[in-house]
């Protein structure tokens, strides 16, 4: 029978996960139950993806603002701390900032503009042109920023993040000065002790600071890399990838995920006879065209995945073949010619004309984005995603 369906993605509903739950067993049982109820069968190269949130919940990987404060105090002492390039997020950064402030006496908060690293805007970029402000060269004080642009609220949250972050700092007993610059070296005129809060550009930022005279340089990935008084931690990413849990705690990015995905794969192999790929996913890597927000606030899309998900797609563009190689054919003859071409395509199509326009991204980033869009971030209740046919093509 002709296969008329390609990739099928199912968001699976499982139990609410709590600390101590056997996440491997929960995922396996959820997948098996879904297959039984929905009537789908297992195939080799199916994919199970699990949101990082439920893995971290099962691990009990949580920390408090007091834990953050203690680590900050140990690393910076009583020095004035330059906190630079944070993202504008109540969920992602507010409790982190409270912990930093609780462990500090004085903070210089340096915000990038017109937007943060992931696209949350302080001001529309066109307004910079109107006011003659160059974000690559101009440093602004808070008073100068207000004089140019007034009081701006985030289009989705309705928050003025300048006031919000300053008030969070001052509420914890630290003094705060807010400045605006996109040059890491700017902070060094205020203090030589810096906590850089950017995510994907953090290594470059640390290098620039160190090369230009900073005396103390840490990133969020250096805070809570070990447990503080029994707290959660993340050895690789520290506070990166964390989310607000309660008013005084955060859920951290999960630890040691590779044994989990390997264990789930082994259990499913034993129970189904099929080799099913497994990955843990966080934020997808895509950009909102209206709000201009780039979704990826986690340090990576996937902290762990089974070996079959290594690499990038190796695909040809069907419309290119139809418009070029086989433009003289129609109907069944066209279908057969394209199918034969796909079956005999090169193992590496990098740079080939017939592959132009295909997506040269890692499989884990593509599948993570697909999973994140499927599960959403609200009340769908589908933290496990089952994907079939992802590796199929026009011939199967």
């Amino acid at each position: 029978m002709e296969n008329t369906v390609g990739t099928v993605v199912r968001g699976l509903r499982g139990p609410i996960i709590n600390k101590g739950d056997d996440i491997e067993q929960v995922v396996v049982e959820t997948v098996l139950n879904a297959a039984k109820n929905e009537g789908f069968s297992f195939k080799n190269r199916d994919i199970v993806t699990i949101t990082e949130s439920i893995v971290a919940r099962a691990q009990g990987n949580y920390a408090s603002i007091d834990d953050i404060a203690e680590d900050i105090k140990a690393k910076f002492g009583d020095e004035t701390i330059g906190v630079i390039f944070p993202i504008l997020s109540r969920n992602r950064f507010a409790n982190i900032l409270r912990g930093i402030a609780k462990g500090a006496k004085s903070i210089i908060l340096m915000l990038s503009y017109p937007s943060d690293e992931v696209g949350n805007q302080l001001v529309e970029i066109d307004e910079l042109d109107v006011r003659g402000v160059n974000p690559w060269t101009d440093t602004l004080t808070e008073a100068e920023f207000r004089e140019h642009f007034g009081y701006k609220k985030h289009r989705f949250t309705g928050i003025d993040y300048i006031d919000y972050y300053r008030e969070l700092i001052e509420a914890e007993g630290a003094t705060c000065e807010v400045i605006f610059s996109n040059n890491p070296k700017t902070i060094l005129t205020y203090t030589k002790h810096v906590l850089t809060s950017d995510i994907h550009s953090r290594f470059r930022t640390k290098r620039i600071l160190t090369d230009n005279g900073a005396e103390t340089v840490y990133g969020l990935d250096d805070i809570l890399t070990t447990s503080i008084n029994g707290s959660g931690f993340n050895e690789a990413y520290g506070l990166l990838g964390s989310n607000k849990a309660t008013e005084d705690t955060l859920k951290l990015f999960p630890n040691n995920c590779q044994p989990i995905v390997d264990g789930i794969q082994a259990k499913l192999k034993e129970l189904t006879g099929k080799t099913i790929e497994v990955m843990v996913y966080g934020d997808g890597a895509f950009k909102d065209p209206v709000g201009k927000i780039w979704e990826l606030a986690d340090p990576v899309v996937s902290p762990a995945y089974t070996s079959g998900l290594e690499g990038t797609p190796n695909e040809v563009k069907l419309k290119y073949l139809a418009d070029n190689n086989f433009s003289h054919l129609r109907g069944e003859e066209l279908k057969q010619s394209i199918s034969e071409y796909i079956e005999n395509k090169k193992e590496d199509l990098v740079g080939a004309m017939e592959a132009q326009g295909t997506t040269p991204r890692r499989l884990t980033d593509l599948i993570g984005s697909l999973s994140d869009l499927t599960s959403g971030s609200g009340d769908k209740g589908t933290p496990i995603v089952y994907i079939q046919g992802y590796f199929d093509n026009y011939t199967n």
Side-chain angles (χ1 to χ4, degrees):
M1 182 182 295
E2 183 181 12
N3 187 359
T4 58
V5 177
T7 303
V8 176
V9 184
R10 295 178 174 91
L12 307 188
R13 290 187 177 141
I16 302 298
I17 303 298
N18 292 301
K19 179 181 179 180
D21 287 348
D22 185 339
I23 192 65
E24 291 183 26
Q25 193 61 34
V26 167
V27 171
V28 169
E29 290 178 355
T30 298
V31 169
L32 294 176
N33 188 52
K36 179 181 177 181
N37 289 343
E38 298 299 318
F40 64 85
S41 59
F42 299 103
K43 299 178 182 178
N44 287 319
R45 302 206 82 188
D46 286 356
I47 308 168
V48 176
T49 65
I50 310 117
T51 180
E52 58 81 22
S53 176
I54 63 172
V55 178
R57 286 179 62 83
Q59 293 176 342
N61 202 23
Y62 291 82
S64 70
I65 62 171
D66 288 334
D67 299 325
I68 297 170
E70 184 166 334
D71 204 4
I72 291 293
K73 182 71 174 176
K75 286 180 167 64
F76 288 96
D78 292 333
E79 301 290 351
T80 295
I81 304 173
V83 178
I84 70 172
F85 302 153
I87 65 172
L88 308 177
S89 172
R90 294 170 297 174
N91 176 44
R92 291 286 188 171
F93 193 70
N95 273 3
I96 292 176
L97 185 58
R98 288 182 60 205
I100 296 167
K102 197 166 188 176
K105 290 187 175 181
S106 181
I107 288 176
I108 308 296
L109 180 65
M110 190 171 89
L111 303 177
S112 56
Y113 75 102
S115 65
D116 69 11
E117 180 185 5
V118 297
N120 292 291
Q121 290 186 326
L122 284 172
V123 61
E124 295 281 349
I125 193 167
D126 289 345
E127 293 187 61
L128 302 184
D129 300 333
V130 171
R131 302 296 298 187
V133 175
N134 185 337
W136 303 113
T137 59
D138 295 347
T139 298
L140 304 177
T141 65
E142 184 176 354
E144 290 169 335
F145 186 93
R146 296 300 194 188
E147 182 180 352
H148 283 304
F149 309 115
Y151 289 77
K152 302 289 185 181
K153 293 185 177 181
H154 191 283
R155 67 157 60 198
F156 294 145
T157 66
I159 299 292
D160 181 323
Y161 277 96
I162 301 169
D163 278 349
Y164 179 56
Y165 278 179
R166 181 170 23 77
E167 290 165 4
L168 286 180
I169 292 169
E170 292 173 347
E172 297 299 334
T175 63
C176 177
E177 180 179 354
V178 182
I179 60 174
F180 303 83
S181 175
N182 293 303
N183 185 347
K185 291 186 286 187
T186 299
I187 195 66
L188 299 177
T189 63
Y190 295 81
T191 177
K192 303 296 184 183
H193 308 277
V194 187
L195 177 64
T196 182
S197 304
D198 45 347
I199 305 163
H200 307 290
S201 55
R202 64 189 186 276
F203 297 112
R204 176 178 181 268
T205 301
K206 289 179 188 180
R207 174 179 55 78
I208 290 172
L209 291 168
T210 301
D211 290 349
N212 285 275
E215 297 175 15
T216 310
V217 179
Y218 291 103
L220 291 184
D221 56 331
D222 300 310
I223 309 300
L224 289 188
T225 56
T226 58
S227 178
I228 302 291
N229 299 322
S231 73
F233 65 97
N234 190 289
E235 185 176 0
Y237 300 115
L239 290 175
L240 293 180
S242 63
N243 300 85
K244 180 178 180 179
T246 70
E247 290 304 313
D248 297 307
T249 61
L250 301 96
K251 177 201 67 61
L252 305 182
F253 215 49
N255 278 305
N256 200 24
C257 294
Q258 194 61 46
I260 295 172
V261 297
D262 291 338
I264 293 170
Q265 184 179 60
K267 287 181 172 67
L268 288 172
K269 176 73 171 181
E270 179 182 354
L271 293 167
T272 69
K274 304 299 182 182
T275 300
I276 297 171
E277 305 299 339
V278 184
M279 66 176 277
V280 175
Y281 69 93
D283 276 345
F286 48 85
K287 185 174 182 178
D288 177 355
V290 176
K292 305 297 189 288
I293 299 171
W294 183 37
E295 181 68 13
L296 187 55
D298 285 328
V300 290
V301 172
S302 176
Y305 48 87
T306 51
S307 59
L309 298 178
E310 287 280 0
T312 58
N314 190 55
E315 301 173 337
V316 295
K317 200 79 167 179
L318 293 188
K319 66 181 182 181
Y320 180 87
L321 297 178
D323 289 343
N324 291 272
N325 303 50
F326 307 112
S327 60
H328 58 291
L329 301 179
R330 296 292 184 274
E332 187 63 26
E333 190 176 6
L334 174 60
K335 178 180 178 181
Q336 290 298 324
S337 295
I338 288 180
S339 297
E340 183 178 346
Y341 192 98
I342 292 172
E343 289 172 349
N344 294 285
K345 66 185 177 184
K346 299 175 183 177
E347 292 186 4
D348 185 359
L349 290 166
V350 173
M353 289 298 293
E354 61 268 31
Q356 66 179 345
T358 58
T359 306
R361 292 169 58 188
R362 295 187 303 177
L363 289 167
T364 50
D365 295 339
L366 291 164
I367 295 166
S369 297
L370 174 63
S371 300
D372 191 23
L373 287 166
T374 300
S375 62
S377 57
D379 58 8
K380 288 184 173 61
T382 56
I384 301 165
V385 177
Y386 199 79
I387 304 169
Q388 294 188 296
Y390 190 83
F391 296 104
D392 291 353
N393 60 40
Y394 189 61
T395 69
N396 50 26

